[in-house]
């Protein structure tokens, strides 16, 4: 797609603490070593994932359109902030392509060669979508079955469609624990342009592809979003599908991704004494429960040592963990695996797929 709206020359400044994976669109991530030093990720270490130019909008003139039950309503940012009680929740935002570079080492994949830094644990503040929809008379709790909340940003164009769109089941949006949030704050500050200002969708527990930035349209529909990023991307295809051509007829047969799987990553590993290795990292919950433990191994998984979880901010948060484990070797490789409350173990090898998404093999670091 070309044209004035795909002009990258007027982008705001980006954080200089990120490793750039692509300049147009701007895609960048911090190192895992930097991330694990902060339970709540600071603004300048939050990764940037874009499918087009980053725009800096005037929040005073920004409006959001809501559609449902044959009605259409508009709210300004001022109304969204003033009319609805602000709720806050700690939730981890993660890209579907996290650790894609590792999956690509198994066999080539399609997508940005992300490392293990496309994840951020932040406090999000804004209005519950549920409250907005009820206020506008667009929905009731009794008629949510088989409906979807579709989100769109027509404000800035993207590579593969005329707008960026995504959707989630309406029942999820109507939940209050915490439900879907139309967020205008991150870590107690106004959102920055890089992270969707003035308004973005926050869907705790779901992958970042559904957290639409610069959201300007919300539609209640009997169908999922028809957008490219909901229907023909961010899906896990079977490992035997190895080419884009082979995938063409299969996208519609597989569900859109929701939660990403149980995962752990090692950010730091070094010898603290001659016979001790210090290891620190983060762990991410999947769909079967929160992280309850993280173990590390210095002998290729023959034996495992339990580490200590030093931070966990709630059911949608990541966990920060660390530990000192016996180790006499001068160099080697250490692995990590997470365990959740449902008894699930992080697998040794993540499942390969063409798009390189949802990789969650054992965490790994050399020292």
């Amino acid at each position: 797609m070309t044209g004035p709206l795909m002009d990258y020359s007027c982008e705001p400044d980006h954080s200089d603490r990120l490793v750039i994976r692509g300049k147009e669109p701007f895609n960048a991530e911090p190192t895992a070593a930097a991330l694990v030093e902060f339970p709540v990720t600071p603004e300048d270490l939050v990764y940037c994932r874009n499918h087009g130019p980053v725009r800096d909008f005037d929040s005073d003139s920004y409006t959001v359109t809501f559609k449902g039950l044959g009605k259409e309503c508009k709210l300004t940012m001022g109304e969204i902030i003033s009319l609805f009680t602000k709720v806050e929740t700690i939730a981890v935002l993660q890209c579907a392509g996290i650790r894609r570079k590792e999956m690509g080492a198994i066999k080539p994949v399609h997508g940005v060669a992300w490392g293990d830094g496309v994840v951020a644990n932040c406090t999000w503040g804004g209005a519950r979508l549920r409250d907005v929809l009820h206020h506008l008379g667009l929905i009731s709790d009794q008629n949510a079955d088989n409906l979807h909340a579709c989100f769109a940003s027509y404000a800035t164009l993207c590579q593969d469609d005329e707008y960026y769109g995504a959707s989630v089941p309406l029942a999820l949006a109507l939940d209050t624990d915490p439900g879907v949030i139309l967020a205008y704050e991150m870590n107690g500050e106004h959102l920055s342009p890089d992270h969707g200002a003035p308004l973005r969708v926050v869907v705790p527990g779901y992958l970042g592809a559904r957290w639409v930035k610069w959201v300007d349209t919300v539609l209640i529909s009997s169908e999922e979003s028809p957008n490219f990023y909901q229907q023909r991307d961010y899906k896990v295809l079977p490992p035997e599908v190895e080419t884009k051509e082979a995938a063409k007829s299969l996208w519609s047969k597989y569900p859109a991704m929701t939660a990403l799987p149980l995962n752990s990553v090692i950010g730091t590993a070094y010898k603290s004494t001659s016979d001790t290795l210090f290891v620190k990292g983060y762990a991410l919950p999947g769909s079967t429960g929160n992280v309850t433990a993280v173990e590390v191994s210095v002998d290729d998984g023959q034996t495992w040592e339990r580490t200590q979880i030093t931070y966990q901010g709630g059911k949608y948060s990541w966990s920060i963990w660390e530990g000192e484990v016996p180790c006499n070797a001068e160099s080697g490789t250490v692995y990590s695996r997470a365990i959740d409350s449902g008894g699930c173990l992080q697998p040794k090898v993540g499942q390969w797929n063409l798009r390189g998404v949802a990789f969650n093999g054992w965490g790994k670091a050399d020292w």
Side-chain angles (χ1 to χ4, degrees):
M1 186 177 295
T2 58
L5 289 179
M6 291 298 282
D7 180 9
Y8 293 92
S9 64
C10 298
E11 293 205 356
D13 292 336
H14 306 294
S15 170
D16 60 4
R17 299 186 66 186
L18 305 178
V19 179
I20 297 174
R21 303 297 185 195
K23 292 186 177 180
E24 295 182 358
F26 184 75
N27 288 297
E29 64 181 317
T31 64
L35 279 175
V36 298
E37 295 306 306
F38 301 93
V40 175
T41 309
E43 158 83 24
D44 58 357
L45 288 179
V46 176
Y47 73 92
C48 295
R49 176 64 175 120
N50 294 294
H51 295 278
V54 175
R55 297 281 304 279
D56 188 356
F57 294 99
D58 176 15
S59 63
D60 290 337
S61 60
Y62 200 83
T63 61
V64 183
T65 300
F66 298 86
K67 302 176 183 180
L69 296 179
K71 295 195 296 184
E72 179 175 317
C73 308
K74 293 182 183 292
L75 291 175
T76 65
M77 279 303 303
E79 289 170 328
I80 291 172
I81 293 171
S82 64
L83 291 176
F84 306 103
T85 300
K86 183 177 77 173
V87 296
E88 290 187 316
T89 189
I90 297 175
V92 65
L93 166 68
Q94 55 177 319
C95 178
I98 189 169
R99 304 177 65 191
R100 181 180 284 138
K101 186 175 181 180
E102 293 178 62
M103 187 184 288
I106 300 171
K107 192 164 51 175
V109 295
H110 293 283
V112 178
W114 293 116
D116 47 23
V118 278
V119 60
N121 191 62
C122 299
T123 301
W124 307 95
R128 276 200 181 95
L129 178 58
R130 168 195 171 99
D131 294 347
V132 177
L133 295 176
H134 279 312
H135 174 81
L136 296 175
L138 298 181
I139 200 67
S140 69
D141 291 345
Q142 285 70 45
N143 64 348
D145 291 348
N146 302 315
L147 294 178
H148 303 267
C150 301
F151 312 113
S153 174
Y154 293 92
T156 180
L157 297 186
C158 57
Q159 295 163 304
D160 300 294
D161 209 328
E162 294 182 356
Y163 67 99
Y164 189 95
S167 60
V168 301
L170 181 60
L172 178 68
L174 296 182
D175 196 357
T176 56
D177 183 29
V180 173
I181 296 174
L182 300 177
Y184 44 81
E185 289 183 359
M186 183 175 76
N187 298 340
E189 303 289 340
H190 291 300
L191 286 172
S192 67
D194 262 330
H195 304 300
L199 195 69
R200 77 172 300 160
V201 177
V202 168
V203 190
Y206 271 44
L207 74 160
R210 312 300 169 226
W211 296 34
V212 176
K213 296 190 292 184
W214 310 297
V215 63
D216 55 20
T217 305
V218 177
L219 167 68
I220 306 307
S221 172
S222 60
E223 304 289 340
E224 283 189 347
S225 169
N227 190 262
F228 175 90
Y229 298 100
Q230 183 80 20
Q231 299 298 333
R232 299 179 298 284
D233 200 4
Y234 297 120
K235 294 185 177 184
V236 179
L237 298 182
E240 59 267 23
V241 181
E242 297 183 340
T243 66
K244 288 185 177 180
E245 187 63 29
K248 280 184 179 179
S249 64
L250 295 176
W251 290 115
S252 63
K253 301 181 186 300
Y254 290 87
M257 297 171 67
T258 55
L260 288 173
L262 179 67
N263 211 340
S264 71
V265 160
I266 298 170
T268 303
Y270 61 85
K271 291 299 289 289
S272 53
T273 69
S274 60
D275 58 0
T276 305
L277 182 73
F278 177 80
V279 191
K280 184 175 184 178
Y282 67 77
L284 304 168
S287 60
T288 55
N290 213 342
V291 174
T292 56
V294 179
E295 300 175 333
V296 296
S297 174
V298 293
D299 57 9
D300 296 322
Q302 297 180 58
T303 60
W304 294 89
E305 297 282 344
R306 187 67 57 99
T307 64
Q308 179 184 4
I309 293 177
T310 59
Y311 169 83
Q312 195 171 75
K315 84 186 268 193
Y316 299 110
S317 163
W318 71 4
S319 301
I320 299 293
W321 55 269
E322 64 180 52
E324 289 189 314
V325 298
C327 180
N328 294 315
E330 291 301 315
S331 62
T333 302
V334 58
Y335 298 92
S336 67
R337 68 180 185 185
I339 305 167
D340 71 17
S341 58
C344 294
L345 272 175
Q346 181 182 351
K348 180 177 182 179
V349 179
Q351 178 183 317
W352 184 92
N353 59 84
L354 182 66
R355 277 294 280 121
V357 292
F359 184 78
N360 72 327
W362 289 349
K364 176 182 177 181
D366 298 323
W367 83 88

